[in-house]
Amino acid sequence: MRLLVVEDDVMVASGIKLGLVQAGYTVDCLPSAEQAEQALRTESFDAAIVDIGLPGADGLELTRRLRADGQTMPVLILTARDALRDRVQGLDLGADDYMVKPFELPELLARLRALLRRSQAATSAVLAFGPVAMDTALRRVTLAGQPVDLGPREWSVLEYLLLQAPKPAAKDRMLQALTGWDKEMTPNAIEVYVSRLRSKLEPAGVALRAIRGFGYRLEMSPDSDLAPPA
């Protein structure tokens, strides 16, 4: 999942980014509303964390503009302003949540997970498909009840596939979700992680089918007990 942090304090932005990256997210940081708007015209993000006190247009104005432009991604306002009128205004302008600094990272992560679940129409911290279960809160994946060891990128690819399942996941959208500006991931790299996942899922009857010219889809193998009848 790719997040955008809009924060002009370099130290604060770096601290937020470090905590989010350690939690498995791809994170990009920008210091102003204007730069954020420009980035969102060409890039896709799953959620944004926005400070109110930005140079130029503030975070409230940025939130208003994003909603006016039809941006539907979750927006979490993170700010030192704790007045009731600021919280009400932020939510009325289209923010999905509001946190006051100083904050605890575990709470920020929990609020983000809740926002992302809602945006993906998921109601639980556990994403499941057949025998695959991913607990996004505990950072644990099981396959038919047995723990599965996944690298960070394998986790991210599987999470994206599970959020889309049973629909197919577009390869280009997956690439954007997993790649930030400070690092590049090629389509060939995606294929490597998909191949690794495939080798771990297939023994339990879960197929990871490539859809030519589009992307990938999780399916139950035809011989699996959980596969739908023909």
Side-chain angles (χ1 to χ4, degrees):
M1 306 290 273
R2 188 181 182 189
L3 307 179
L4 176 63
V5 174
V6 189
E7 167 65 68
D8 64 321
D9 187 311
V10 175
M11 291 188 64
V12 173
S14 297
I16 294 173
K17 179 175 182 176
L18 177 61
L20 295 175
V21 168
Q22 289 177 340
Y25 296 103
T26 297
V27 183
D28 292 305
C29 298
L30 289 172
S32 72
E34 290 75 15
Q35 287 174 282
E37 286 184 282
Q38 184 176 1
L40 285 163
R41 293 189 186 103
T42 57
E43 304 283 340
S44 294
F45 296 89
D46 296 290
I49 298 173
V50 178
D51 181 36
I52 288 183
L54 298 171
D58 67 14
L60 296 176
E61 175 61 15
L62 172 60
T63 301
R64 187 195 68 78
R65 291 179 185 178
L66 294 181
R67 295 310 186 220
D69 288 342
Q71 288 280 352
T72 59
M73 68 176 181
V75 174
L76 186 154
I77 289 180
L78 189 62
T79 179
R81 300 185 192 178
D82 61 354
L84 175 61
R85 64 178 178 275
D86 290 321
R87 297 198 299 273
V88 170
Q89 185 180 11
L91 295 170
D92 282 344
L93 288 173
D96 298 274
D97 203 352
Y98 193 110
M99 283 190 70
V100 177
K101 302 174 184 174
F103 62 92
E104 296 292 336
L105 182 62
E107 183 182 2
L108 174 62
L109 293 173
R111 287 174 181 256
L112 271 174
R113 287 193 296 268
L115 292 179
L116 291 167
R117 286 199 302 272
R118 264 180 275 166
S119 71
Q120 300 287 343
T123 58
S124 169
V126 178
L127 305 175
F129 182 83
V132 183
M134 170 181 280
D135 191 319
T136 59
L138 298 179
R139 297 289 295 177
R140 181 174 62 194
V141 175
T142 57
L143 190 58
Q146 299 302 310
V148 180
D149 185 27
L150 298 180
R153 288 299 189 188
E154 292 172 320
W155 170 283
S156 298
V157 171
L158 181 58
E159 181 182 29
Y160 195 86
L161 289 165
L162 287 169
L163 284 168
Q164 301 301 313
K167 298 180 294 184
K171 190 174 182 179
D172 58 345
R173 293 297 302 274
M174 187 187 302
L175 194 61
Q176 280 211 0
L178 302 179
T179 306
W181 293 315
D182 58 348
K183 61 176 74 74
E184 291 295 331
M185 181 183 290
T186 66
N188 287 340
I190 291 285
E191 293 174 9
V192 170
Y193 296 118
V194 165
S195 178
R196 292 178 184 174
L197 280 174
R198 186 178 284 124
S199 67
K200 296 178 180 181
L201 299 178
E202 284 184 345
V206 180
L208 212 172
R209 185 164 78 88
I211 302 174
R212 184 180 295 275
F214 185 79
Y216 304 95
R217 179 168 58 204
L218 288 171
E219 298 179 351
M220 297 307 304
S221 300
D223 55 352
S224 168
D225 293 338
L226 298 176

